[in-house]
């Protein structure tokens, strides 16, 4: 049994989608980011960075793993699935996973901050992060022109990148003309395990409107 501490965000969905794909039993512990539960002492003992997601593997001496990329690698290695074990195949998956962790995630995150949450609109910052996101999307599109998935078979690299890229409308990034990226977005999004994982943690019947969501995000950034 895995305990999953998460919220409905791209980094959280990476973990829940992987758990669904791997058919591992898990219990969800929703973390209320706006209430800063992720900064409480009990949580910081599991995740010193005070962010979601975190998993605790009850079947492995209550081993805690933080950082979404590390969680994906841990789950893939635990099960021997979603990442090959040969040196080159594994490296390819890790390369595209790191591309997400070091590029797509931080750049889309900053695009959200300046395009959506900043009370003051700074055109230079908005433009900078939109252009950088678009450049990274073009890297993905070029890769996907010649490969069905990012790194060999469907893998944790696809899960990590999809979890962020499919939220492009919220970040305000255009995907016009990126036909291979669109094909891949739809293919991954239609996987039943991805559909299930994307709904974790369960949302209230009436999710917050955009203005309320922005207000909540500003509390976290303050
Ligand atoms: N590098 C971390 C980033 C995690 C992260 O930024 N999580 C966000 C949600 S997507 C969070 O917990 N934000 C709350 C906060 O900043 O306090 C990972 O990949 O796990």
């Amino acid at each position: 049994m895995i305990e999953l501490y998460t919220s409905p965000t791209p980094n959280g969905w990476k973990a829940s989608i992987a758990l669904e794909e791997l058919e591992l039993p898990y219990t969800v512990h929703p973390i209320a980011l706006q209430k800063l539960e992720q900064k409480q002492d009990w949580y910081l003992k599991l995740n010193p960075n005070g962010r979601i997601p975190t998993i605790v593997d009850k079947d492995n001496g209550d081993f805690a793993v933080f950082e979404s990329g590390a969680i994906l690698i841990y789950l893939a290695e635990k099960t021997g699935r979603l990442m090959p074990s040969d040196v080159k195949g594994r490296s390819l998956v890790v390369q595209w996973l790191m591309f997400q962790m070091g590029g797509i995630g931080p750049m889309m995150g900053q695009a959200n901050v300046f395009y959506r949450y900043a009370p003051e609109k700074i055109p230079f910052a908005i433009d900078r992060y939109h252009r950088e996101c678009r450049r990274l999307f073009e890297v993905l599109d070029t890769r996907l022109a010649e490969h069905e998935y990012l790194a060999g078979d469907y893998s944790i690299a696809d899960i990590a990148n999809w979890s962020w890229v499919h939220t492009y409308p919220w970040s305000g990034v255009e995907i016009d003309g990126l036909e291979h990226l669109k094909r891949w977005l739809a293919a991954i999004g239609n996987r039943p395990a991805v559909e299930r994982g994307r709904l974790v943690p369960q949302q209230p019947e009436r999710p917050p409107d955009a203005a309320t969501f922005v207000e909540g995000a500003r509390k976290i950034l303050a």
Side-chain angles (χ1 to χ4, degrees), residues 38-156:
Q38 72 278 19
K39 312 296 181 198
Q40 291 177 6
D41 286 348
W42 69 269
Y43 186 76
L44 292 175
K45 289 198 176 92
L46 302 175
N47 183 328
N49 196 29
R51 295 196 163 191
I52 65 92
T54 304
I55 61 166
V56 176
D57 189 348
K58 305 301 274 182
D59 299 331
N60 196 9
D62 286 355
F63 188 64
V65 188
F66 75 104
E67 280 295 319
S68 58
I71 291 172
L72 291 176
I73 293 173
Y74 178 83
L75 294 174
E77 289 182 336
K78 178 182 170 78
T79 56
R81 292 172 54 199
L82 294 176
M83 179 171 70
S85 53
D86 67 286
V87 174
K88 282 190 190 170
R90 186 181 185 285
S91 172
L92 267 183
V93 169
V94 170
Q95 288 170 52
W96 286 101
L97 176 62
M98 294 303 152
F99 174 84
Q100 184 281 304
M101 293 297 294
I104 294 277
M107 292 304 115
M108 289 186 76
Q110 292 307 310
N112 291 345
V113 167
F114 288 103
Y115 179 62
R116 293 281 181 187
Y117 311 141
E120 177 198 354
K121 296 296 167 219
I122 307 168
F124 181 87
I126 295 170
D127 189 47
R128 153 78 186 149
Y129 289 112
H130 277 167
R131 273 192 291 117
E132 184 60 1
C133 289
R134 172 73 192 200
R135 188 191 69 76
L136 293 167
F137 283 13
E138 287 172 5
V139 173
L140 290 175
D141 189 66
T142 302
R143 173 72 179 173
L144 292 165
E146 292 185 2
H147 298 84
E148 184 176 4
Y149 299 111
L150 288 173
D153 293 337
Y154 175 66
S155 73
I156 54 172

